[in-house]
Amino acid sequence: MARMILKLANGLLSAFLAVVLLAAGVYSAYALWDNNQIYEAAANVQADMIRLKPAVDETAEEGPSFEELLAINPDVCAWIAMDGTKIDYPVLQGETNLTYINTDVYGNFALAGSIFLDTRCDREFEQSYHLLYGHHMENSKMFGDLDLYKDGKFFQKNRTGTLILPGRVHSLETFACLLVYASDDVIFEPDRWQDDIEGLLDYAQQNSLNRSDETIDELRRACEDPGVETPQIVALSTCSAEFTDARTIVLAVMKDYAPAN
């Protein structure tokens, strides 16, 4: 009798383990499918938006304009592209900094969210410091490629970008990459730098993973020259895995104003 009970118990245990393994397999398959859906949705939205990227090429007779983007969503305030990466997205500004965390440019729920401008910043990009957020995603989606700037060789070879605004275009020159906490009040308090960015430059020079001292010195000279307007800085922020609440930050200066088509 004892042997039969033991045999039955072993059978039940084997059946239970088989069910657990099956459930784990089903869950893993679902998680993989769900993850792929998230990335596919992000890729589809980006592909749609690329077709509406405002034209900046002076040789182009015509092309998409900001009016077409604004017709889709009036919260679109800019377009940012970073050379050497796949960062090439419209920038939105919502009512709060939670509006576009999980919402795409069409206003639909999307875990990938959107690239968005901090609500404390001027959507016209006329202030001295502008803070952009984007999710860290694999496969170079959203702001995932900010990780590339942590590599010194990549940083030195890929320091340009473009910021397109309604009616004007600025080139971007990257000058620092930092790794900070999400609570860092130097980076995440944009009001602090609207009159004087010299403290921000000091912080970048002292705490950066990679930087261009030449560009930082150039910015310092501009700050000290009363005949020159305060340089305008754009900060790009995304999550990072180095420690709890880590954030990767890339700082770039807005340069070379030109009228948009």
Side-chain angles (χ1 to χ4, degrees):
M1 175 66 82
R3 184 174 296 176
M4 291 180 60
I5 294 175
L6 181 59
K7 185 176 180 180
L8 178 61
N10 287 336
L12 291 173
L13 179 59
S14 297
F16 173 75
L17 291 175
V19 171
V20 169
L21 291 174
L22 177 61
V26 171
Y27 176 79
S28 297
Y30 170 77
L32 181 61
W33 173 86
D34 188 55
N35 189 61
N36 288 337
Q37 291 295 105
I38 293 170
Y39 281 90
E40 183 177 349
N44 290 341
V45 170
Q46 185 183 24
D48 287 344
M49 287 295 98
I50 286 294
R51 288 193 286 269
L52 294 176
K53 180 180 179 179
V56 297
D57 186 353
E58 294 180 358
T59 64
E61 295 183 1
E62 60 180 71
S65 67
F66 248 94
E67 283 67 28
E68 294 174 72
L69 284 173
L70 292 171
I72 293 173
N73 190 330
D75 285 343
V76 175
C77 58
W79 188 290
I80 190 165
M82 301 301 291
D83 299 332
T85 77
K86 292 187 179 179
I87 295 173
D88 201 1
Y89 293 98
V91 178
L92 297 95
Q93 187 181 52
E95 292 185 8
T96 74
N97 284 339
L98 298 178
T99 302
Y100 287 104
I101 281 186
N102 293 131
T103 302
D104 66 22
V105 67
Y106 296 108
N108 299 322
F109 173 78
L111 288 175
S114 300
I115 306 303
F116 62 95
L117 174 68
D118 192 292
T119 56
R120 293 165 291 180
C121 297
D122 171 29
R123 66 177 282 126
E124 305 295 332
F125 283 78
E126 294 180 347
Q127 295 177 315
S128 300
Y129 184 69
H130 313 86
L131 177 59
L132 306 184
Y133 304 93
H135 283 305
H136 182 279
M137 298 184 69
E138 296 177 0
N139 303 323
S140 299
K141 297 296 185 293
M142 306 311 287
F143 270 178
D145 271 355
L146 290 187
D147 277 353
L148 297 174
Y149 292 94
K150 297 174 186 177
D151 178 80
K153 291 183 179 179
F154 178 90
F155 179 88
Q156 294 301 329
K157 293 181 179 179
N158 299 274
R159 295 187 47 225
T160 57
T162 305
L163 182 70
I164 308 172
L165 303 168
R168 72 187 199 273
V169 180
H170 292 270
S171 64
L172 296 175
E173 182 178 326
T174 300
F175 64 88
C177 176
L178 303 89
L179 191 63
V180 304
Y181 284 96
S183 57
D184 189 312
D185 60 359
V186 174
I187 297 298
F188 296 109
E189 292 292 338
D191 292 338
R192 183 172 177 176
W193 307 115
Q194 299 310 339
D195 297 319
D196 182 2
I197 64 165
E198 290 193 71
L200 176 63
L201 297 177
D202 291 340
Y203 184 82
Q205 197 154 38
Q206 295 166 10
N207 297 278
S208 56
L209 299 173
N210 294 301
R211 66 179 183 271
S212 168
D213 288 323
E214 181 180 354
T215 301
I216 292 175
D217 289 343
E218 178 186 323
L219 295 174
R220 288 189 196 284
R221 289 193 293 271
C223 290
E224 294 167 359
D225 187 342
V228 176
E229 293 186 1
T230 301
Q232 295 178 286
I233 306 302
V234 177
L236 286 63
S237 170
T238 196
C239 296
S240 198
E242 281 82 354
F243 48 84
T244 303
D245 289 336
R247 297 292 185 271
T248 299
I249 308 296
V250 171
L251 298 177
V253 58
M254 295 166 55
K255 305 184 80 172
D256 302 335
Y257 162 83
N261 285 357

